Amino acid sequence: MYRRLIVPGALAASLVLAIPASAADFEPGAPGIGDPYYPTYGNGGYDVSHYDLHLTYQPKTDLLRGTATILASATQDLSRFDLDFGLTASEVRVNGEKARFATSGVQELQITPPSGLPKGSPFTVVVKYSGKPSKVQLWGFTSWQRTPDGGVAANEPEAAAWWFPSNDHPRDKATYDVSVAVPDGTQAISNGTLQSKTSRLGWTRFDWRSHKPQATYLATLAVGKFDITTGRTADGLPVVNAYSKDLGDDYGAAKASVERTGEVTEWLESVFGPYPYDAVGGYVPNVPSHFALETQTRPFYSPAQFRNGANVSVIVHELAHQWYGDSVSVAGWKDIWLNEGFATYAQWLWSEKEGDGTAQQLADYAYARHPASDPFWTVKPGDPGPDKQFDAAVYDRGAMAIQALRNAVGDKDFFAILKGWPRVRRYGNAKISDFVAYAEKVSGKPLASLFDTWLYQPSRPEAPALRSAFAVERPASWRRIEAAHACAG
């Protein structure tokens, strides 16, 4: 063995020179992940693999206290990094050591660890915090909804910052453990499966686990007093549904709709392939909002969804997102068609199955009700812009594009595409261009022009792209589909 001889003075000099040279290579992570629609959402410099959230929530005062433990890896030599967060942090540790932290911009929590984090190295962040989420205004609003007996975190494209620190963009998915203590007699509902429920000194703690990759906006928390039903699908998948006890006149219609979750999931498996998670369900809290959202494994429904009676169509829409939107998530928010176009088309297929109007009839009706002069056609579903991200055109014109694809490739290839896409992209992210390439691969046909016409041109496509220009009558299912789209995620 050869040992190099270094005199003490030379060794000291080399160490003095080495440390600054190394430190100079470390830079702050970007305060945004690079999404042009939302430049400050998410962060650069690291990837999160797991969130462990240990929370206590008092419904009477809306006070949330928490400790978030975040497991991540550096994707660059990192001197500082940001988390997206709106509550008040009291202490931050990185790899067990206290770290400096400060707030910046609307929602940036800037963290400076005691020493740089080398590229590729795993690290742990612990953030202790508290606050009243409904009082926190980010971008001029709060995503936290107060209820008569608690509170709910559910919104798109942002919700996490009101209850836990995160890398808040769908491109950085992670697994979750969510543990929430609430006063006895109150329940805490989150994603995934309930691991345990324990009571002590007037408080009950609910421990939920999501062990498949999950985007931050799909993480949900609901605290209140619920009627909870449980069951299983034909394949043994556990179903957990919950309804606020004070839904009043909306209670019956809500339950009549959400209780069909298992049935709808079984049918969707025949369309999109195996369900990608180990639990399913839905919940209806007593909130004033009107929208529904595909929160992973446990969609959120506002009671307003059922104000005019039962609506299974909205259940179909949010459960379809478990494949298209949750398992396969957008690479950037401009790719929202990959979520909403397919969830809407699932409603059209459900209508077809139920005998309430075929997908073709629905496409023709949607087309005919918007004349060429309608601003509806100026919205590009493939790149609608942040102000039109949830415009009706993203849903309806987006679904028309899928029917045009079906007509172009035929049912055999079409349904192979619908099943194959969530299989080959499971738990990942994708761009619209990725889907177009996949559809061309499966069908063996050039499809770029078709998708350009339906997703990117700000004008009404020619009628021959569908099979007819006019619908004789409105399909029976249209009212329920339209009601769902007025509020759905």
Side-chain angles (χ1 to χ4, degrees), residues 84-137:
D84 299 301
F85 195 42
L87 300 184
T88 302
S90 57
E91 182 179 303
V92 177
R93 290 178 179 265
V94 177
N95 290 335
E97 297 183 71
K98 283 191 175 181
R100 300 197 311 273
F101 61 95
T103 58
S104 175
V106 175
Q107 87 295 4
E108 302 293 339
L109 178 64
Q110 292 183 340
I111 298 171
T112 304
S115 57
L117 303 170
K119 181 178 180 180
S121 65
F123 64 95
T124 302
V125 186
V126 177
V127 182
K128 295 182 179 181
Y129 59 93
S130 63
K132 296 184 178 182
S134 66
K135 302 298 183 183
V136 174
Q137 297 280 314

Side-chain angles (χ1 to χ4, degrees), residues 400-472:
M400 286 184 238
I402 299 171
Q403 181 62 27
L405 170 66
R406 182 179 180 179
N407 293 341
V409 303
D411 275 11
K412 181 179 178 181
D413 285 343
F414 176 73
F415 285 103
I417 291 167
L418 288 192
K419 279 188 176 180
W421 174 254
R423 183 186 71 249
V424 300
R425 289 281 179 167
R426 177 174 284 202
Y427 309 133
N429 300 78
K431 301 176 182 178
I432 291 175
S433 59
D434 297 323
F435 179 83
V436 174
Y438 180 76
E440 289 181 330
K441 178 180 177 181
V442 172
S443 68
K445 295 184 177 182
L447 299 169
S449 178
L450 180 149
F451 283 111
D452 179 67
T453 296
W454 282 96
L455 299 183
Y456 295 103
Q457 295 304 312
S459 58
R460 192 189 202 209
E462 292 296 324
L466 296 174
R467 288 183 179 165
S468 64
F470 306 100
V472 175

Side-chain angles (χ1 to χ4, degrees), residues 241-305:
N241 299 322
Y243 312 88
S244 282
K245 291 179 180 290
D246 56 356
L247 289 178
D249 293 343
D250 299 325
Y251 186 97
K255 191 170 185 179
S257 305
V258 179
E259 285 301 299
R260 296 186 69 181
T261 290
E263 172 194 352
V264 171
T265 302
E266 292 172 11
W267 172 75
L268 284 168
E269 287 190 300
S270 72
V271 178
F272 296 146
Y275 182 73
Y277 306 113
D278 62 355
V280 71
Y283 72 97
V284 189
N286 187 9
V287 291
S289 60
H290 287 69
F291 66 91
L293 184 64
E294 63 270 21
T295 41
Q296 192 162 303
T297 70
R298 193 143 296 111
F300 156 89
Y301 304 97
S302 298
Q305 289 283 334

Side-chain angles (χ1 to χ4, degrees), residues 49-96:
S49 60
H50 184 72
Y51 294 94
D52 182 274
L53 308 178
H54 193 269
L55 312 174
T56 300
Y57 180 71
Q58 174 52 264
K60 289 183 180 179
T61 62
D62 193 39
L63 179 61
L64 177 70
R65 298 184 185 277
T67 299
T69 303
I70 302 170
L71 307 183
S73 296
T75 58
Q76 67 178 67
D77 289 332
L78 201 58
S79 63
R80 191 187 74 206
F81 60 93
D82 288 13
L83 293 170
D84 299 301
F85 195 42
L87 300 184
T88 302
S90 57
E91 182 179 303
V92 177
R93 290 178 179 265
V94 177
N95 290 335

Side-chain angles (χ1 to χ4, degrees), residues 367-384:
Y367 180 89
R369 71 196 297 263
H370 295 288
S373 59
D374 193 327
F376 171 90
W377 298 108
T378 65
V379 177
K380 300 177 288 184
D383 189 4

Side-chain angles (χ1 to χ4, degrees), residues 6 10 26 124 144 185 206 209 275 279 285 313 338 421 457:
I6 303 178
F26 286 70
T124 302
W144 182 271
F206 296 81
R209 170 165 290 181
Y275 182 73
S313 187
L338 290 172
W421 174 254
Q457 295 304 312

